[in-house]
Amino acid sequence: MEKLISSRCDLQHVPDSYVLPPESRPGEEEFALCKTIPVIELRQDRAENVRQVLKAGQEFGFFQLTNYGVSKKLMSDVLEVAEEFFELPNEDKASVYSEDPKRSCRLYTSIDYDNEKVHFWRDNLRHPCHPVDEHVQCWPEKPARYRELAGKYSVEVRKLSMLLLELIGEGLGLESGFFERDELNRVQLMALNRYPPCPNPSLTLGLPRHRDVNLITVILQGPVHGLQVLEDGQWLALQPLPDAFVINIGLALQIISNGKLRSAEHRVTTNRTLARTTVTTFLHPSGDCMVEPVKGIIDNHNPSLYRSFLYKDFLSTYIKDTYEGELPLKRYTL
């Protein structure tokens, strides 16, 4: 528990173990607020929804989403209970704290604290959440309303994620129900991230530069910005919009689309005075799912860009390559 960065709120300086190499530091510069990442409002016009979602996935790999059908009160309550969790006394969080990466529900700090060269300024509670009734008993018991709210939220965000995948499938010309196959969407993880105030945000990061490995990511964030997207070699700060989700295309979906969709590089910066809390949902294929470009969009004019592989193998090499600064898709590109 003493490793949790949120337990060390009295720090006046960034510890050496959190100071990034000069080339990886965010520095003192003011980052431009990103005004190009699309904001999509889902409407009754399905064809227009398909067009906008596909265009955003092709051009940016990120977009913000409004009018999505999830209760705004539920979103607010979930973000609030996430903040309450991280503000609990350490003894109330100890039951879920673990340094074992194989534990299904665990609170930990940074990414791989004992093996990484430099630590990152965040604490994280992560657990599976689909189906809810199979996993809810391993979730935190405190705050008292956590299990109820997280369960309701998980169900609603799954519906939203499947709707977005359905729209993407239509836009790519895939057969109806393509993404409804159980092996393609079986794993759903929820991650509560806490980025405490940092005495010198220019020296460290909450999360390093990376692309998400999964199919699609849904981020619920409050008013404190910190998410940055790399666009044309420039880091752009994503301005949080009230009552909006941030949607992120993962590498698995880039591969399935044979590169028609792109997974964008992003990172998380810290804040000198404010804590930032997010609730992020990841939709993954099962480990035994064969991931490959869809046959229906490959032809003589559009040859396959990637070879086929088991998703569990990709997960293993993704972690290794990301730590070593290698491109995760390099070994799978034809």
Side-chain angles (χ1 to χ4, degrees), residues 99-219:
E99 297 178 16
D100 179 4
K102 294 182 180 179
R103 180 169 169 176
S104 63
C105 176
R106 72 179 186 117
L107 170 65
Y108 61 101
T109 194
S110 192
I111 298 174
D112 186 7
Y113 191 92
D114 290 332
N115 297 309
E116 63 199 10
K117 295 177 182 177
V118 182
H119 304 317
F120 294 94
W121 204 268
R122 72 119 189 208
D123 294 333
N124 177 267
L125 172 70
R126 181 175 296 232
H127 59 70
C129 50
H130 175 73
V132 170
D133 56 3
E134 289 186 12
H135 300 290
V136 65
Q137 294 305 315
C138 75
W139 298 354
E141 296 184 46
K142 295 182 180 180
R145 59 187 187 142
Y146 179 82
R147 290 182 174 182
E148 177 186 1
L149 287 173
K152 290 180 179 177
Y153 179 78
S154 297
V155 171
E156 293 304 313
V157 171
R158 183 173 184 83
K159 291 178 184 176
L160 173 61
S161 301
M162 294 307 297
L163 171 61
L164 291 172
L165 289 173
E166 189 178 307
L167 296 175
I168 287 169
E170 287 184 29
L172 292 173
L174 306 184
E175 62 182 288
S176 177
F178 177 84
F179 287 107
E180 294 177 10
R181 292 182 296 161
D182 178 61
E183 70 272 13
L184 264 180
N185 64 68
R186 184 176 303 168
V187 179
Q188 182 178 338
L189 298 176
M190 178 183 286
L192 279 58
N193 290 299
R194 179 73 160 191
Y195 307 96
C198 174
N200 190 343
S202 71
L203 298 177
T204 190
L205 286 168
L207 281 175
R209 172 179 180 170
H210 69 286
R211 293 180 173 92
D212 287 359
V213 67
N214 52 301
L215 278 176
I216 196 166
T217 303
V218 180
I219 305 168

